[in-house]
Amino acid sequence: MGTRRWSLLVAGALALATPARLRADEITATDKLRMLYSSRFNFSDEGVPVITIEIASGDKTATLSAPGGLRILPDGAGGSRLENRKALAVTVRAQDTSASIVDWWTVVATLEAGDEMGLGKAMAAWQARGLAPKSFETGTIVSVQGEVIDTRRIVVAVSPVREASLQARVAADVSKKFGVTTSAYQELVKRPGGEIVASLGDAEITNGSILWFEPVRDGETIAVANVKVGHGGSQLTSRRETRRYWGRIFVTVGHDGSLVVVNAVPEDKLLAGIVPAEMFADAPLAALEAQAIAARTDLLDKVTRRSSVDPFLLCSTQACQVYAGAGHETAQATQAVANTRGMVMLRNGGGLVDARYSSSCGGHGEHNDTIWGGAADPSLRGGFDVASRPAAGVGDVAAFLKRGDTTSWCARGSRGKEHVRWSKTFAAAELSKMVAAKYPQVGAVRKLEPLERGVSGRLRRLRVVGEGGSAIVEGDLTIRRLFGGLKSSLFVVAVTGPAAAPQTFTFNGAGFGHGVGMCQVGASAMAEAGKTHQEILSHYYRGMHLHRLY
């Protein structure tokens, strides 16, 4: 018997249901898909935001299941629904797909929303330079419980191209010719297209561009098979596993024409999974509460600033926030999320704090502009990780590292002490091989020369000198990755052997991560000492106050 296809199917284990309470939904499927590309988010029945987060992309098929069966929602919540009450796996694929069309622009100016005079001057200036500028509004404005969060900015951009690699070259040319700092902006010209097909036994359900799924039985999760698991930073591993997710799942066509699987999950369920993945799961409650507030603040900030070229608000990698789905929650972390429900950090002057955090600062935090460039953020100033927060600056980095550290918060707690000071030794041939992968002109490495450090001693620029030439390496993460994924860029190098033929290079360093914002090891130690989440956050983020949004 051949496969049977329906656009809205009732057959065998499936039953079509359109409850009266859902019939009033007058939003079309096209409108619902369009909403997924906006920065708008809805609230659950419990009053918390529902976040759409990417969990899989780039594959040809996806396999979903739930113990009590899956309910298929061709039009999302509020439309018809197809119920399969048997625990059968559903295989989803896309057909007749087309990739999105995106213009990559080079941003040459950024202004406050509503600055019409500044916008007019910027547009005129770039037109006078012989270019055809275009302005875009980024970010969004959100009003919750009387608190207005406005992340809108106006960007002026020039020279659109259709490929990201070309945009990088254009941006470099514009920056060099006109002496300006540039960035990239993506304009979605056309959404991707195609049909989504769900196969269940000998039945197929097709729908244009998107299908939604939820468990038939309340309280169950949806399992997604073969999810790719990988991390950035110093962890470059990749594997696949089955993961479970709360809330709903939708499958649609991604920007490249392949499937993208997205979890629409209430924020509290999301954070309950993120917090123990981001911090020690057994940390004291106050530290987990501080992490929950920082993660929620970071989450909402990313949501309001997200790109409009993807049909989700957040990705699931370290570039966004680590999210491993259901089953990774702990009782204490879930309690921390509940205790801080709706609580975020707001700048005293208005707006969300850029709530960065890393594992261990090594005794001294770093300025945001040292790590990522851009403007200095008054909330993200690096300083000694001690109670009094004296004037920042480690001075002699080698002496700072050699002294060891017993007074900082990140050295006083019971967790993460192995990150406060660390050492890594490479044979000269091994180090030269790593450098050659990116800078082949250098040849056998002879020495490493620090050119610029931040306030904590973390490197901004490093010269690698070899028998064939030299290269200047810029940026915290670039430097760390060049040498096999070092814990941090706060290090000095000791060399053995003659200068003309070194034998080993030993990196003596401190900290784990970029060191900006909250030091998670330090936060745990502060909680062990009886500090509250308010005291912990006030220590690491300046000029802010806590506010409960919902």
Side-chain angles (χ1 to χ4, degrees):
M1 183 175 180
T3 299
R4 293 171 291 176
R5 301 183 65 196
W6 293 264
S7 56
L8 292 178
L9 173 69
V10 186
L14 299 174
L16 176 65
T18 309
R21 68 183 179 86
L22 299 179
R23 287 179 183 149
D25 187 359
E26 297 179 355
I27 302 176
T28 68
T30 300
D31 287 337
K32 289 177 180 177
L33 183 61
R34 185 180 298 112
M35 289 177 187
L36 297 176
Y37 284 86
S38 73
S39 294
R40 176 181 182 268
F41 53 84
N42 297 313
F43 282 79
S44 70
D45 292 342
E46 289 73 35
V48 299
V50 175
I51 308 297
T52 54
I53 181 168
E54 172 203 24
I55 55 177
S57 61
D59 293 324
K60 294 181 179 180
T61 62
T63 302
L64 284 63
S65 62
L70 286 174
R71 182 178 294 124
I72 304 174
L73 311 170
D75 297 322
S80 57
R81 65 190 194 188
L82 310 164
E83 288 190 354
N84 160 41
R85 294 184 177 274
K86 295 184 178 180
L88 300 175
V90 177
T91 300
V92 188
R93 72 179 192 276
Q95 64 185 19
D96 301 326
T97 63
S98 60
S100 63
I101 298 176
V102 175
D103 278 345
W104 288 79
W105 291 76
T106 294
V107 176
V108 292
T110 302
L111 305 98
E112 296 292 328
D115 185 2
E116 296 297 332
M117 182 178 295
L119 176 59
K121 289 181 178 179
M123 296 289 283
W126 286 96
Q127 287 169 353
R129 290 167 172 160
L131 298 174
K134 185 175 180 178
S135 64
F136 301 91
E137 182 177 282
T138 67
T140 189
I141 184 168
V142 179
S143 178
V144 184
Q145 297 290 340
E147 184 70 41
V148 177
I149 299 173
D150 190 351
T151 62
R152 294 174 302 160
R153 295 291 184 273
I154 302 296
V155 299
V156 176
V158 299
S159 306
V161 292
R162 286 280 157 91
E163 295 182 24
S165 59
L166 293 178
Q167 188 278 329
R169 274 184 267 166
V170 170
D173 290 342
V174 171
S175 180
K176 182 178 180 180
K177 184 175 181 179
F178 299 107
V180 295
T181 300
T182 63
S183 59
Y185 177 82
Q186 299 177 65
E187 178 189 19
L188 183 62
V189 177
K190 183 181 179 181
R191 292 195 302 272
E195 283 190 326
I196 301 298
V197 183
S199 299
L200 180 65
D202 63 351
E204 286 188 344
I205 301 95
T206 68
N207 200 51
S209 297
I210 189 168
L211 279 172
W212 291 76
F213 302 85
E214 66 182 12
V216 170
R217 297 196 303 228
D218 291 340
E220 288 188 347
T221 58
I222 298 178
V224 180
N226 212 32
V227 175
K228 186 183 296 184
V229 181
H231 298 290
S234 61
Q235 304 177 49
L236 302 176
T237 60
S238 181
R239 65 183 189 280
R240 289 182 179 266
E241 64 184 31
T242 296
R243 288 186 164 182
R244 298 183 293 109
Y245 299 92
W246 299 106
R248 293 190 177 99
I249 297 286
F250 66 83
V251 182
T252 186
V253 182
H255 65 87
D256 59 355
S258 64
L259 284 184
V260 60
V261 184
V262 179
N263 186 196
V265 58
E267 173 254 74
D268 55 345
K269 292 286 190 182
L270 174 59
L271 287 181
I274 286 177
V275 169
E278 293 274 21
M279 181 176 258
F280 310 102
D282 64 345
L285 182 60
L288 293 171
E289 289 172 343
Q291 180 65 55
I293 294 168
R296 182 182 295 110
T297 304
D298 185 51
L299 175 72
L300 295 183
D301 186 56
K302 284 186 170 72
V303 164
T304 57
R305 297 179 188 275
R306 50 90 68 170
S307 167
S308 61
V309 301
D310 292 311
F312 48 80
L313 296 172
L314 201 67
C315 66
S316 59
T317 67
Q318 285 184 335
C320 297
Q321 283 182 332
V322 177
Y323 176 52
H328 300 272
E329 304 88 350
T330 65
Q332 183 136 294
T334 300
Q335 185 64 51
V337 172
N339 290 353
T340 63
R341 172 190 166 102
M343 194 175 292
V344 296
M345 290 184 287
L346 296 180
R347 300 178 190 274
N348 290 342
L352 292 165
V353 168
D354 187 2
R356 306 297 182 112
Y357 43 85
S358 64
S359 180
S360 171
C361 68
H364 199 294
E366 187 53 79
H367 295 339
N368 69 290
D369 41 313
T370 296
I371 301 298
W372 300 292
D377 187 331
S379 294
L380 299 176
R381 300 291 85 194
F384 284 101
D385 189 25
V386 294
S388 60
R389 291 279 292 209
V394 300
D396 185 330
V397 177
F400 170 72
L401 294 173
K402 189 175 182 179
R403 281 200 305 270
D405 187 3
T406 58
T407 60
S408 70
W409 284 115
C410 63
R412 290 165 58 183
S414 62
R415 298 166 181 83
K417 288 187 176 181
E418 68 276 15
H419 302 317
V420 179
R421 293 291 183 271
W422 52 265
S423 182
K424 178 76 172 178
T425 298
F426 297 99
E430 181 184 7
L431 185 111
S432 296
K433 184 177 180 180
M434 289 189 291
V435 170
K438 188 166 185 180
Y439 304 104
Q441 78 278 11
V442 170
V445 176
R446 297 290 182 253
K447 60 181 176 179
L448 304 174
E449 298 178 342
L451 298 179
E452 185 179 357
R453 293 184 183 270
V455 69
S456 70
R458 285 171 171 81
L459 279 163
R460 295 187 67 170
R461 298 171 69 240
L462 173 73
R463 179 184 287 118
V464 183
V465 180
E467 64 176 4
S470 65
I472 293 178
V473 189
E474 299 187 4
D476 168 82
L477 191 55
T478 303
I479 292 170
R480 291 163 57 193
R481 285 178 169 172
L482 181 64
F483 302 114
L486 296 175
K487 288 186 177 182
S488 81
S489 64
L490 173 46
F491 61 79
V492 295
V493 181
V495 182
T496 63
Q503 295 177 346
T504 65
F505 291 81
T506 297
F507 293 75
N508 296 306
F512 189 9
H514 50 67
V516 178
M518 184 171 69
C519 171
Q520 293 169 308
V521 171
S524 179
M526 290 182 71
E528 287 179 350
K531 302 297 183 182
T532 66
H533 65 252
Q534 169 76 62
E535 291 172 310
I536 293 169
L537 294 172
S538 296
H539 174 68
Y540 289 110
Y541 304 98
R542 303 181 184 183
M544 70 85 191
H545 62 279
L546 298 182
H547 182 84
R548 195 179 296 275
L549 287 176
Y550 45 85

